[in-house]
Amino acid sequence: MRSRKEMSTDGNVALFCDLVGTLVAMDETRQLPLNADSKVKIELLPRVKETLAPLRDHLIFVVTNQAGIKRGRLTVPQVESALHQLDEKLGGILTAWQVCPHDNDDGCECRKPRAGMITELAAVHGVDLKASTMVGDQASDAEAARSARIGRFVYARDFFGWQQS
């Protein structure tokens, strides 16, 4: 877990965001895209920066399943680099992130649709989950929000105002 600012007061309102397909573009396999040098290249999806910029003073977290680590497609340093790139492109507004490196068969508590990543971040930062929001692009994100008892879930297309095609 990476954390930029520690909050100790219970009751903080937060925005939890999925990564691939929500904040950044994905490749044809719905994963972080790799270039020819096997480096992850982050491309922000439309309206992400503009929508998140006014939330600069709020707690903003990224929670992401990255089974590509377990499967050998990605390394932890590649994913960390991608998250640092994302934070840089967003102007340093991310509070913290959590990465689940496991596969579906591992039975871990952190992999969405389970709530482990969300509840850990909430505990560390004193987040009021019922007053918070999660944004994602898949049913597993919505289920993770429900499992964590987050007050509101919004699909990325609605949160960022993308045209439905």
Side-chain angles (χ1 to χ4, degrees):
M1 175 175 74
R2 179 268 194 178
S3 182
R4 177 172 56 87
K5 51 188 170 185
E6 296 293 322
M7 303 296 266
S8 59
T9 307
D10 286 333
N12 291 310
V13 176
L15 177 66
F16 294 85
C17 298
D18 173 52
L19 179 62
V20 180
T22 298
L23 300 176
V24 301
M26 63 182 94
D27 69 9
E28 63 281 351
T29 65
R30 297 192 52 83
Q31 298 181 72
L32 285 169
L34 296 173
N35 66 18
D37 297 332
S38 294
K39 291 184 181 173
V40 177
K41 184 172 191 299
I42 292 297
E43 178 187 337
L44 291 178
L45 287 170
R47 299 189 36 78
V48 166
K49 186 173 184 175
E50 299 83 350
T51 303
L52 295 180
L55 304 176
R56 165 174 286 294
D57 295 329
H58 293 77
L59 297 176
I60 302 174
F61 302 111
V62 175
V63 290
T64 179
N65 288 346
Q66 292 298 322
I69 295 170
K70 168 87 184 260
R71 297 174 189 154
R73 181 183 176 273
L74 295 168
T75 64
V76 171
Q78 284 174 312
V79 175
E80 285 287 323
S81 172
L83 288 159
H84 283 288
Q85 286 178 55
L86 170 65
D87 195 30
E88 185 176 304
K89 287 183 182 229
L90 293 174
I93 66 171
L94 298 179
T95 305
W97 53 70
Q98 282 279 22
V99 176
C100 172
H102 306 108
D103 206 339
N104 288 334
D105 297 334
D106 290 337
C108 66
E109 289 302 313
C110 55
R111 187 166 178 79
K112 294 180 286 178
R114 292 189 174 110
M117 290 187 285
I118 296 166
T119 56
E120 185 174 330
L121 286 166
V124 168
H125 296 275
V127 172
D128 177 350
L129 289 170
K130 288 181 182 175
S132 296
T133 299
M134 179 156 178
V135 178
D137 69 319
Q138 296 186 54
S140 61
D141 299 318
E143 182 58 32
R146 276 191 296 278
S147 296
R149 301 188 191 281
I150 289 179
R152 181 173 170 236
F153 176 81
V154 183
Y155 277 98
R157 67 179 174 264
D158 299 323
F159 191 81
F160 295 111
W162 302 332
Q163 294 291 327
Q164 294 188 24
S165 48

